[in-house]
Each structure stands twice: as structure tokens, then as C-alpha cells.
Amino acid sequence: TYNPLSSYNKGYKNLKEFSQNGEDFCKQVTSILQQRANLEINYSKGLQKLAVKLSKALQTTKKNCLVSAWAWVSEGMKSAADLHQKLGKAIELEAIKPTHQVLSVHEKKKKSLDNEVEKAANLVIGNWNQQLKAKKKLMVSTKKHEALSQLVESSKQTVTKKEKQKLLSKLKKSTEKVAKEDENYYQKNLAGCATRLKWENTLENCYQSILELEKERIKLLYNNLNQYTQHISVFGQTLTTCHTQIHCAISKIDVEKDTQALMEETAVSSTENKSEFLLTDYFVSIEWKEIPLMGNLIHRLSDAFGKTLRAIVKEISYAESQKITAALMDETNLKLDLLQANSYKLSSVLAELEQRPQPSHSCSNSIFKWKEKQQTHSYVKISRPFLMKRLENVVSRTSSGGQRIPSSSSTGNPLPTIIWGWFCW
């Protein structure tokens, strides 16, 4: 079964994989620090016992310069034992305990974020499948309706008035059924855009949340490493060389730079971020283009195009920030791209039916088909970089007066007024 979400969430999956690797590393470091703390505390206890034994031995010995020197040795052992114990306790309290708490919070947060993404993704997949079912149902009803229409037309002169009335009654019910199923299919297709946008926004919000968690984890490791070096520096000259090397490495740490590098490593290029939307397909024959229902569909979608433009003008006038305006522009641009793709698809089918040359359009290379059982489905791929990039592009395009996909008036073959796609049987 085709998965419409496989390409767009690649960046989110990359970040999750990086986050999991970072979490595993953090756990390993914490385990090593715990072993180090245990060693320091145990060593402190052993050194303290030796210091006490030496002190007792000195108490039974006659005082002289040699004994006084050994007394300083005993005091040195006690001081060293105290230093090791403080280091072990500091590692436990300042590094191990906070790290366990942060990792526990992160685990719960990431689980909650994954549930949000999965829930939104299920809505997209569910709507996708509903569209396919509604389309199949509409196709079957349309075929039956056309057959009934032909029967009524061909039997006008051969049936009785009563039989003719029955046929007309069936035709009326069939027309109502096709119209109802068509409206259901149309509404599900519109809902597909909303559910897809909701999933993308959820994905991007979760991406930012995980990025913040990673930034917090990097800061935690930085703080732990910094505190660790501060504690071991008190051990004296023997640790100076090691401390200098570690301190040199710490001085090169830049949290903001590491975070930026993480974003660049896990990001997916804008050319790979392409959202996929189903284009509506209808059963149509050469004779069917004369049915009034087609005119109703054309009028409906032309009206939808006009409403979309009017709505964005109204919403932008009430927008309180450039970011909100850019988001509204992005949403409208997406809708217009879908309408133009459907318009081009319809114009191609009409040109084939009327035996005219095929029209040309910039979206032609973005429309694809695949077969599933006995059905052929059409979908369009539209570039959709992450939200931050999209807003930058929309603001840039708005300020520079950039153009969108060429309109029908710019091509040699005029397109109908934004009409939904059709499937030629």
C-alpha cells in the first residue's frame, strides 16, 4: 500500500535517531561516572582506615623527627581520603542525579511527542483511504447512472408511458445518488488538505521540541564535564596535564554551534520535502461531458478558487504579525497549487476528448499515477520544506513580487477556470 507520508517526515526520523544515539551516550557516561564515584568513595574509606592505623601506631611510638614526619603522612592520607570522598559524592549529586532526572523527563516528553505525531499521521492515512473508497463508490455509481441515462434515451419511442415514467424516476434517484456521493468525495478531498497541514504542523512542532530537548541534553553534558574538571583540578600537580587537555577541549565547546550543526546534519533538503496530495478522478466518456453535472462541478470549483482568494485577503488584513501573514500566504499558495494541478489535469483530459493538442503547464512533471487493483489513482507532489523555510520563502516571494505557477493565460492552450481533475475511462 502506498504511504503518502514517507518522504516528508525523513528529517523528523533523522532527528529522532540522533536523539536516541545521544540518549544512549548520556546513559553510558552516567554509568561510567557512577562507577567512578563508587571507586572514589571506596578508595576514600580504605585510605581513611590506613590513616587511622598509622595514627594509632604513631601514638605508641616515642616522639622524634621521624615520627613527626610520618604524622604528616597520616594527615596527608586523611586529607586525600576527604578529597576522594567529596569527589565521589559530588559526582553523584551534581552529575548522576540531575542526569537521571533529565533523561526521565525527556523520555516521557518524547513519548508524548511521538504519540502526537502518530495520531496526526493516522488521520492523514485514514482520510487518504476514505478518499480512495469514496472515489471507487462514485465511479461505480457514475457508470450505472450513465448506463441508465443511455437506456432512457434509447427507449423513448419503444416503451409505454408508464414504463417511461418508471425509468425517469429511477434516473432522478440515480442523479441524486451520484450528486450525494460526489459531494461526499469532494468534502473528503478538502478534508485531506486540512489533515495533511495539521500533521505537518504537528511534525514540525515536535521536531522543534525534540531539538530543544537535545539542546538541553548537550548543555547538561557540558555542565557535567565542566564540574568534573573543576573537582579533579584540586588533586594537585599530578592531574594538571590531564586537566589542561580536558579544559582545552571544553573551551572549544559552543552549544549554539553544536545545535546549528545538528540541524544541518538532520535536515532534509527542500527538494526531498515533497507533500503528496490525491487529485480527484472521475469516470467520464465522450458523451458524458454533455451532462449538466459537469457544469455544476466546474462552477463549484471556480467558486472555490474565488473564495480562496477572497478569504486570504480578508485574513491577511486581520493578521497581527508578519509570521501569521506568511503562514496564511503559505496555506493559500498550497491550495492554489492544488487547484492549478487539478485544472491542468482536467484540461488534459478535455483536450484528449476533443482531440486537441495537449496543454503545457509547469506542474505536468509533478503529477503521477499508480494502479491499485483495477483503479488508477493520480497524485501531485508539491515541494514543502519545513515551516521555518516555508515562511522565509513566502515572505521573500511576497516582498519581491515573485510569480507562482504560470497561469492558463500564459500558455498556448487556455485552461478552464480552476476545475477539479477528471479521469478518462
Short mmCIF file of all heavy atoms in Angstrom, two decimals, residues 244-301:
data_model
loop_
_atom_site.label_atom_id
_atom_site.label_comp_id
_atom_site.label_asym_id
_atom_site.label_seq_id
_atom_site.Cartn_x
_atom_site.Cartn_y
_atom_site.Cartn_z
N THR A 244 44.52 20.14 31.88
CA THR A 244 44.74 21.11 30.82
C THR A 244 44.19 20.61 29.49
O THR A 244 43.55 21.38 28.74
CB THR A 244 46.25 21.40 30.67
OG1 THR A 244 46.77 21.87 31.91
CG2 THR A 244 46.50 22.43 29.57
N GLN A 245 44.41 19.33 29.23
CA GLN A 245 43.89 18.76 27.97
C GLN A 245 42.36 18.78 27.94
O GLN A 245 41.75 19.16 26.93
CB GLN A 245 44.40 17.33 27.81
CG GLN A 245 45.91 17.24 27.59
CD GLN A 245 46.41 15.82 27.58
OE1 GLN A 245 45.71 14.90 28.03
NE2 GLN A 245 47.63 15.62 27.09
N ILE A 246 41.76 18.39 29.04
CA ILE A 246 40.29 18.38 29.09
C ILE A 246 39.74 19.79 29.03
O ILE A 246 38.76 20.07 28.33
CB ILE A 246 39.79 17.67 30.37
CG1 ILE A 246 40.24 16.20 30.36
CG2 ILE A 246 38.28 17.75 30.47
CD1 ILE A 246 39.89 15.45 31.64
N HIS A 247 40.38 20.70 29.79
CA HIS A 247 39.92 22.09 29.79
C HIS A 247 40.03 22.71 28.40
O HIS A 247 39.18 23.50 27.98
CB HIS A 247 40.74 22.91 30.79
CG HIS A 247 40.26 24.32 30.93
ND1 HIS A 247 39.10 24.65 31.59
CD2 HIS A 247 40.78 25.49 30.46
CE1 HIS A 247 38.92 25.95 31.54
NE2 HIS A 247 39.92 26.50 30.86
N CYS A 248 41.09 22.33 27.67
CA CYS A 248 41.25 22.84 26.31
C CYS A 248 40.10 22.37 25.43
O CYS A 248 39.57 23.13 24.61
CB CYS A 248 42.58 22.35 25.75
SG CYS A 248 42.92 22.92 24.06
N ALA A 249 39.71 21.09 25.62
CA ALA A 249 38.57 20.57 24.84
C ALA A 249 37.28 21.27 25.23
O ALA A 249 36.43 21.58 24.38
CB ALA A 249 38.43 19.06 25.04
N ILE A 250 37.10 21.56 26.51
CA ILE A 250 35.88 22.24 26.97
C ILE A 250 35.80 23.65 26.39
O ILE A 250 34.73 24.13 26.03
CB ILE A 250 35.85 22.28 28.51
CG1 ILE A 250 35.67 20.88 29.09
CG2 ILE A 250 34.73 23.19 29.02
CD1 ILE A 250 35.74 20.84 30.59
N SER A 251 36.96 24.32 26.33
CA SER A 251 36.97 25.70 25.84
C SER A 251 36.51 25.81 24.39
O SER A 251 36.11 26.88 23.94
CB SER A 251 38.38 26.29 25.98
OG SER A 251 39.31 25.59 25.15
N LYS A 252 36.59 24.68 23.68
CA LYS A 252 36.18 24.69 22.28
C LYS A 252 34.69 24.38 22.11
O LYS A 252 34.18 24.42 20.99
CB LYS A 252 36.99 23.66 21.49
CG LYS A 252 38.48 23.99 21.43
CD LYS A 252 39.24 22.93 20.65
CE LYS A 252 40.73 23.25 20.61
NZ LYS A 252 41.50 22.21 19.87
N ILE A 253 34.00 24.04 23.17
CA ILE A 253 32.58 23.69 23.08
C ILE A 253 31.75 24.95 22.89
O ILE A 253 31.91 25.92 23.63
CB ILE A 253 32.12 22.94 24.34
CG1 ILE A 253 32.81 21.58 24.44
CG2 ILE A 253 30.61 22.74 24.34
CD1 ILE A 253 32.47 20.81 25.70
N ASP A 254 30.90 24.92 21.91
CA ASP A 254 29.97 26.02 21.63
C ASP A 254 28.58 25.40 21.46
O ASP A 254 28.29 24.76 20.47
CB ASP A 254 30.40 26.77 20.37
CG ASP A 254 29.55 28.02 20.14
OD1 ASP A 254 28.41 28.08 20.64
OD2 ASP A 254 30.01 28.92 19.44
N VAL A 255 27.73 25.57 22.47
CA VAL A 255 26.42 24.92 22.45
C VAL A 255 25.59 25.35 21.25
O VAL A 255 24.96 24.53 20.57
CB VAL A 255 25.65 25.23 23.77
CG1 VAL A 255 24.24 24.66 23.70
CG2 VAL A 255 26.41 24.65 24.96
N GLU A 256 25.63 26.65 20.96
CA GLU A 256 24.82 27.14 19.84
C GLU A 256 25.35 26.59 18.51
O GLU A 256 24.57 26.22 17.62
CB GLU A 256 24.86 28.67 19.81
CG GLU A 256 24.20 29.35 21.01
CD GLU A 256 22.73 29.03 21.10
OE1 GLU A 256 22.11 28.81 20.04
OE2 GLU A 256 22.19 29.00 22.22
N LYS A 257 26.66 26.52 18.38
CA LYS A 257 27.26 26.00 17.15
C LYS A 257 26.94 24.51 16.98
O LYS A 257 26.64 24.06 15.87
CB LYS A 257 28.76 26.22 17.20
CG LYS A 257 29.48 25.80 15.92
CD LYS A 257 30.97 26.12 16.01
CE LYS A 257 31.70 25.70 14.73
NZ LYS A 257 33.15 26.02 14.82
N ASP A 258 27.00 23.75 18.08
CA ASP A 258 26.69 22.32 18.02
C ASP A 258 25.22 22.11 17.65
O ASP A 258 24.87 21.19 16.91
CB ASP A 258 26.98 21.66 19.36
CG ASP A 258 28.48 21.54 19.63
OD1 ASP A 258 29.27 21.76 18.69
OD2 ASP A 258 28.84 21.21 20.77
N THR A 259 24.35 22.97 18.20
CA THR A 259 22.92 22.85 17.87
C THR A 259 22.68 23.14 16.40
O THR A 259 21.91 22.44 15.73
CB THR A 259 22.11 23.83 18.73
OG1 THR A 259 22.35 23.57 20.11
CG2 THR A 259 20.61 23.67 18.43
N GLN A 260 23.37 24.17 15.87
CA GLN A 260 23.23 24.51 14.46
C GLN A 260 23.75 23.37 13.58
O GLN A 260 23.14 23.02 12.56
CB GLN A 260 24.00 25.80 14.15
CG GLN A 260 23.88 26.28 12.71
CD GLN A 260 22.46 26.63 12.33
OE1 GLN A 260 21.69 27.09 13.17
NE2 GLN A 260 22.09 26.43 11.07
N ALA A 261 24.87 22.78 13.99
CA ALA A 261 25.42 21.64 13.23
C ALA A 261 24.45 20.47 13.26
O ALA A 261 24.29 19.75 12.26
CB ALA A 261 26.77 21.23 13.82
N LEU A 262 23.78 20.26 14.37
CA LEU A 262 22.79 19.19 14.48
C LEU A 262 21.64 19.41 13.51
O LEU A 262 21.20 18.47 12.82
CB LEU A 262 22.26 19.14 15.92
CG LEU A 262 21.01 18.29 16.17
CD1 LEU A 262 21.29 16.84 15.79
CD2 LEU A 262 20.58 18.40 17.62
N MET A 263 21.17 20.65 13.41
CA MET A 263 20.08 20.96 12.49
C MET A 263 20.49 20.71 11.05
O MET A 263 19.71 20.18 10.25
CB MET A 263 19.64 22.41 12.68
CG MET A 263 19.02 22.72 14.02
SD MET A 263 18.61 24.46 14.22
CE MET A 263 17.40 24.67 12.92
N GLU A 264 21.74 21.08 10.73
CA GLU A 264 22.21 20.89 9.35
C GLU A 264 22.40 19.41 9.02
O GLU A 264 22.13 18.98 7.90
CB GLU A 264 23.53 21.63 9.16
CG GLU A 264 23.40 23.14 9.26
CD GLU A 264 24.75 23.85 9.18
OE1 GLU A 264 25.78 23.15 9.11
OE2 GLU A 264 24.76 25.08 9.19
N GLU A 265 22.83 18.61 10.00
CA GLU A 265 23.06 17.18 9.76
C GLU A 265 21.76 16.41 9.61
O GLU A 265 21.68 15.44 8.86
CB GLU A 265 23.88 16.59 10.91
CG GLU A 265 25.32 17.07 10.96
CD GLU A 265 26.05 16.57 12.19
OE1 GLU A 265 25.44 15.76 12.93
OE2 GLU A 265 27.21 16.96 12.40
N THR A 266 20.74 16.80 10.35
CA THR A 266 19.49 16.05 10.34
C THR A 266 18.45 16.62 9.39
O THR A 266 17.40 16.02 9.18
CB THR A 266 18.87 16.01 11.75
OG1 THR A 266 18.62 17.36 12.19
CG2 THR A 266 19.81 15.33 12.72
N ALA A 267 18.73 17.81 8.82
CA ALA A 267 17.74 18.43 7.93
C ALA A 267 17.69 17.70 6.59
O ALA A 267 18.65 17.06 6.16
CB ALA A 267 18.09 19.90 7.69
N VAL A 268 16.55 17.78 5.96
CA VAL A 268 16.35 17.21 4.62
C VAL A 268 16.23 18.35 3.64
O VAL A 268 15.61 19.37 3.92
CB VAL A 268 15.05 16.36 4.58
CG1 VAL A 268 14.86 15.75 3.21
CG2 VAL A 268 15.13 15.27 5.64
N SER A 269 16.90 18.24 2.53
CA SER A 269 16.86 19.32 1.54
C SER A 269 15.44 19.57 1.08
O SER A 269 14.60 18.69 1.08
CB SER A 269 17.74 18.96 0.33
OG SER A 269 17.22 17.83 -0.33
N SER A 270 15.19 20.82 0.67
CA SER A 270 13.84 21.21 0.26
C SER A 270 13.35 20.41 -0.94
O SER A 270 12.16 20.23 -1.13
CB SER A 270 13.80 22.71 -0.06
OG SER A 270 14.72 23.01 -1.10
N THR A 271 14.30 19.92 -1.75
CA THR A 271 13.89 19.14 -2.93
C THR A 271 13.36 17.78 -2.53
O THR A 271 12.60 17.17 -3.27
CB THR A 271 15.08 18.96 -3.89
OG1 THR A 271 16.16 18.34 -3.17
CG2 THR A 271 15.53 20.31 -4.41
N GLU A 272 13.76 17.27 -1.34
CA GLU A 272 13.27 15.98 -0.88
C GLU A 272 11.96 16.10 -0.12
O GLU A 272 11.22 15.14 0.00
CB GLU A 272 14.32 15.30 0.01
CG GLU A 272 15.62 14.96 -0.72
CD GLU A 272 16.61 14.29 0.21
OE1 GLU A 272 16.19 13.81 1.28
OE2 GLU A 272 17.79 14.26 -0.13
N ASN A 273 11.69 17.30 0.41
CA ASN A 273 10.47 17.51 1.18
C ASN A 273 9.30 17.80 0.25
O ASN A 273 9.04 18.95 -0.08
CB ASN A 273 10.65 18.69 2.16
CG ASN A 273 11.53 18.31 3.32
OD1 ASN A 273 11.62 17.13 3.65
ND2 ASN A 273 12.19 19.28 3.91
N LYS A 274 8.66 16.77 -0.21
CA LYS A 274 7.53 16.95 -1.12
C LYS A 274 6.31 16.27 -0.55
O LYS A 274 6.32 15.08 -0.26
CB LYS A 274 7.85 16.38 -2.51
CG LYS A 274 8.91 17.19 -3.26
CD LYS A 274 9.08 16.73 -4.69
CE LYS A 274 10.10 17.59 -5.44
NZ LYS A 274 10.26 17.18 -6.83
N SER A 275 5.26 17.08 -0.36
CA SER A 275 4.00 16.54 0.10
C SER A 275 3.22 15.98 -1.08
O SER A 275 3.27 16.51 -2.19
CB SER A 275 3.17 17.63 0.79
OG SER A 275 3.86 18.12 1.91
N GLU A 276 2.51 14.92 -0.83
CA GLU A 276 1.75 14.26 -1.89
C GLU A 276 0.26 14.38 -1.61
O GLU A 276 -0.20 14.07 -0.51
CB GLU A 276 2.19 12.80 -1.99
CG GLU A 276 3.66 12.68 -2.39
CD GLU A 276 4.20 11.28 -2.17
OE1 GLU A 276 3.42 10.43 -1.72
OE2 GLU A 276 5.39 11.06 -2.41
N PHE A 277 -0.50 14.83 -2.59
CA PHE A 277 -1.93 15.03 -2.46
C PHE A 277 -2.65 14.28 -3.58
O PHE A 277 -2.22 14.31 -4.74
CB PHE A 277 -2.29 16.52 -2.53
CG PHE A 277 -1.68 17.34 -1.44
CD1 PHE A 277 -0.42 17.91 -1.60
CD2 PHE A 277 -2.34 17.54 -0.25
CE1 PHE A 277 0.16 18.67 -0.61
CE2 PHE A 277 -1.77 18.31 0.77
CZ PHE A 277 -0.53 18.87 0.59
N LEU A 278 -3.73 13.63 -3.22
CA LEU A 278 -4.53 12.96 -4.23
C LEU A 278 -5.24 13.98 -5.11
O LEU A 278 -5.75 15.00 -4.62
CB LEU A 278 -5.59 12.07 -3.56
CG LEU A 278 -5.12 10.71 -3.04
CD1 LEU A 278 -6.27 10.03 -2.31
CD2 LEU A 278 -4.64 9.83 -4.19
N LEU A 279 -5.25 13.72 -6.41
CA LEU A 279 -6.06 14.51 -7.33
C LEU A 279 -7.35 13.72 -7.58
O LEU A 279 -7.34 12.51 -7.74
CB LEU A 279 -5.32 14.72 -8.65
CG LEU A 279 -4.04 15.56 -8.56
CD1 LEU A 279 -3.35 15.62 -9.91
CD2 LEU A 279 -4.34 16.95 -8.05
N THR A 280 -8.46 14.45 -7.61
CA THR A 280 -9.74 13.75 -7.78
C THR A 280 -9.87 13.23 -9.21
O THR A 280 -9.59 13.92 -10.18
CB THR A 280 -10.91 14.70 -7.48
OG1 THR A 280 -10.75 15.88 -8.27
CG2 THR A 280 -10.92 15.07 -6.01
N ASP A 281 -10.29 11.96 -9.32
CA ASP A 281 -10.52 11.32 -10.61
C ASP A 281 -12.00 11.00 -10.74
O ASP A 281 -12.64 10.57 -9.78
CB ASP A 281 -9.71 10.01 -10.71
CG ASP A 281 -8.21 10.27 -10.69
OD1 ASP A 281 -7.81 11.24 -11.32
OD2 ASP A 281 -7.49 9.50 -10.05
N TYR A 282 -12.53 11.20 -11.95
CA TYR A 282 -13.93 10.92 -12.23
C TYR A 282 -14.04 10.01 -13.44
O TYR A 282 -13.22 10.07 -14.36
CB TYR A 282 -14.73 12.21 -12.50
CG TYR A 282 -14.90 13.10 -11.31
CD1 TYR A 282 -13.93 14.03 -10.98
CD2 TYR A 282 -16.03 13.00 -10.52
CE1 TYR A 282 -14.08 14.86 -9.88
CE2 TYR A 282 -16.20 13.82 -9.42
CZ TYR A 282 -15.23 14.74 -9.10
OH TYR A 282 -15.39 15.55 -8.02
N PHE A 283 -15.08 9.20 -13.45
CA PHE A 283 -15.38 8.44 -14.65
C PHE A 283 -16.02 9.38 -15.66
O PHE A 283 -16.94 10.12 -15.34
CB PHE A 283 -16.34 7.29 -14.31
CG PHE A 283 -16.85 6.57 -15.54
CD1 PHE A 283 -16.07 5.60 -16.17
CD2 PHE A 283 -18.07 6.89 -16.09
CE1 PHE A 283 -16.52 4.96 -17.28
CE2 PHE A 283 -18.52 6.25 -17.21
CZ PHE A 283 -17.75 5.28 -17.82
N VAL A 284 -15.50 9.38 -16.87
CA VAL A 284 -16.04 10.25 -17.90
C VAL A 284 -15.87 9.60 -19.27
O VAL A 284 -14.86 8.94 -19.53
CB VAL A 284 -15.35 11.64 -17.88
CG1 VAL A 284 -13.88 11.49 -18.17
CG2 VAL A 284 -15.97 12.59 -18.88
N SER A 285 -16.85 9.79 -20.12
CA SER A 285 -16.77 9.32 -21.50
C SER A 285 -16.99 10.52 -22.41
O SER A 285 -17.26 11.63 -21.95
CB SER A 285 -17.83 8.25 -21.77
OG SER A 285 -19.12 8.82 -21.68
N ILE A 286 -16.90 10.28 -23.70
CA ILE A 286 -17.05 11.40 -24.65
C ILE A 286 -18.44 12.01 -24.52
O ILE A 286 -18.63 13.22 -24.60
CB ILE A 286 -16.79 10.91 -26.10
CG1 ILE A 286 -15.34 10.43 -26.21
CG2 ILE A 286 -17.08 12.01 -27.10
CD1 ILE A 286 -15.00 9.87 -27.57
N GLU A 287 -19.47 11.14 -24.32
CA GLU A 287 -20.84 11.66 -24.22
C GLU A 287 -21.10 12.35 -22.89
O GLU A 287 -21.91 13.26 -22.78
CB GLU A 287 -21.85 10.52 -24.40
CG GLU A 287 -21.86 9.93 -25.80
CD GLU A 287 -20.70 8.96 -26.01
OE1 GLU A 287 -20.03 8.64 -25.02
OE2 GLU A 287 -20.47 8.55 -27.17
N TRP A 288 -20.37 11.91 -21.87
CA TRP A 288 -20.70 12.39 -20.52
C TRP A 288 -20.42 13.87 -20.33
O TRP A 288 -20.96 14.50 -19.44
CB TRP A 288 -19.91 11.57 -19.50
CG TRP A 288 -20.44 11.70 -18.11
CD1 TRP A 288 -21.65 11.32 -17.64
CD2 TRP A 288 -19.76 12.27 -17.00
NE1 TRP A 288 -21.76 11.60 -16.31
CE2 TRP A 288 -20.61 12.19 -15.89
CE3 TRP A 288 -18.49 12.86 -16.82
CZ2 TRP A 288 -20.25 12.66 -14.64
CZ3 TRP A 288 -18.15 13.32 -15.58
CH2 TRP A 288 -19.02 13.22 -14.50
N LYS A 289 -19.54 14.45 -21.16
CA LYS A 289 -19.21 15.86 -20.98
C LYS A 289 -20.42 16.76 -21.25
O LYS A 289 -20.40 17.94 -20.95
CB LYS A 289 -18.07 16.26 -21.91
CG LYS A 289 -18.38 16.09 -23.39
CD LYS A 289 -17.18 16.46 -24.25
CE LYS A 289 -17.51 16.29 -25.73
NZ LYS A 289 -16.39 16.67 -26.59
N GLU A 290 -21.49 16.17 -21.82
CA GLU A 290 -22.67 16.97 -22.11
C GLU A 290 -23.64 16.98 -20.92
O GLU A 290 -24.61 17.71 -20.93
CB GLU A 290 -23.37 16.42 -23.34
CG GLU A 290 -22.50 16.47 -24.60
CD GLU A 290 -23.16 15.81 -25.80
OE1 GLU A 290 -24.30 15.32 -25.63
OE2 GLU A 290 -22.56 15.79 -26.87
N ILE A 291 -23.39 16.16 -19.91
CA ILE A 291 -24.29 16.09 -18.77
C ILE A 291 -24.18 17.37 -17.95
O ILE A 291 -23.06 17.83 -17.68
CB ILE A 291 -23.98 14.86 -17.90
CG1 ILE A 291 -24.22 13.60 -18.73
CG2 ILE A 291 -24.82 14.83 -16.64
CD1 ILE A 291 -23.89 12.33 -17.96
N PRO A 292 -25.30 17.95 -17.48
CA PRO A 292 -25.24 19.21 -16.72
C PRO A 292 -24.41 19.11 -15.45
O PRO A 292 -23.92 20.11 -14.95
CB PRO A 292 -26.72 19.47 -16.40
CG PRO A 292 -27.48 18.74 -17.45
CD PRO A 292 -26.68 17.53 -17.78
N LEU A 293 -24.24 17.87 -14.91
CA LEU A 293 -23.47 17.73 -13.67
C LEU A 293 -22.06 18.27 -13.83
O LEU A 293 -21.49 18.83 -12.90
CB LEU A 293 -23.42 16.25 -13.26
CG LEU A 293 -22.60 15.93 -12.00
CD1 LEU A 293 -23.18 16.65 -10.80
CD2 LEU A 293 -22.59 14.42 -11.77
N MET A 294 -21.48 18.10 -15.02
CA MET A 294 -20.12 18.60 -15.26
C MET A 294 -20.07 20.12 -15.10
O MET A 294 -19.14 20.67 -14.51
CB MET A 294 -19.65 18.17 -16.64
CG MET A 294 -18.25 18.66 -17.00
SD MET A 294 -17.72 18.09 -18.61
CE MET A 294 -16.12 18.88 -18.71
N GLY A 295 -21.07 20.78 -15.63
CA GLY A 295 -21.13 22.23 -15.48
C GLY A 295 -21.23 22.66 -14.03
O GLY A 295 -20.64 23.64 -13.61
N ASN A 296 -21.99 21.87 -13.24
CA ASN A 296 -22.10 22.18 -11.82
C ASN A 296 -20.76 22.05 -11.11
O ASN A 296 -20.41 22.84 -10.24
CB ASN A 296 -23.12 21.25 -11.16
CG ASN A 296 -24.53 21.52 -11.68
OD1 ASN A 296 -24.82 22.62 -12.15
ND2 ASN A 296 -25.40 20.53 -11.60
N LEU A 297 -19.99 21.01 -11.48
CA LEU A 297 -18.66 20.80 -10.88
C LEU A 297 -17.73 21.95 -11.24
O LEU A 297 -16.97 22.44 -10.41
CB LEU A 297 -18.07 19.47 -11.35
CG LEU A 297 -18.78 18.21 -10.85
CD1 LEU A 297 -18.18 16.98 -11.51
CD2 LEU A 297 -18.68 18.12 -9.34
N ILE A 298 -17.78 22.36 -12.52
CA ILE A 298 -16.93 23.47 -12.96
C ILE A 298 -17.27 24.74 -12.18
O ILE A 298 -16.39 25.45 -11.69
CB ILE A 298 -17.10 23.71 -14.47
CG1 ILE A 298 -16.56 22.50 -15.26
CG2 ILE A 298 -16.39 24.98 -14.91
CD1 ILE A 298 -16.80 22.59 -16.74
N HIS A 299 -18.56 25.00 -12.04
CA HIS A 299 -18.98 26.19 -11.31
C HIS A 299 -18.56 26.10 -9.84
O HIS A 299 -18.11 27.07 -9.24
CB HIS A 299 -20.50 26.35 -11.42
CG HIS A 299 -21.02 27.57 -10.71
ND1 HIS A 299 -21.43 27.53 -9.39
CD2 HIS A 299 -21.17 28.86 -11.12
CE1 HIS A 299 -21.84 28.73 -9.02
NE2 HIS A 299 -21.69 29.56 -10.05
N ARG A 300 -18.70 24.92 -9.26
CA ARG A 300 -18.35 24.74 -7.84
C ARG A 300 -16.87 25.03 -7.59
O ARG A 300 -16.50 25.73 -6.65
CB ARG A 300 -18.68 23.32 -7.40
CG ARG A 300 -18.29 23.03 -5.95
CD ARG A 300 -18.58 21.59 -5.58
NE ARG A 300 -17.75 20.67 -6.31
CZ ARG A 300 -17.86 19.35 -6.26
NH1 ARG A 300 -18.81 18.80 -5.53
NH2 ARG A 300 -17.05 18.57 -6.95
N LEU A 301 -16.00 24.51 -8.43
CA LEU A 301 -14.57 24.68 -8.21
C LEU A 301 -14.11 26.08 -8.59
O LEU A 301 -13.19 26.61 -8.00
CB LEU A 301 -13.80 23.62 -9.00
CG LEU A 301 -14.12 22.20 -8.50
CD1 LEU A 301 -13.35 21.19 -9.34
CD2 LEU A 301 -13.79 22.07 -7.05
#
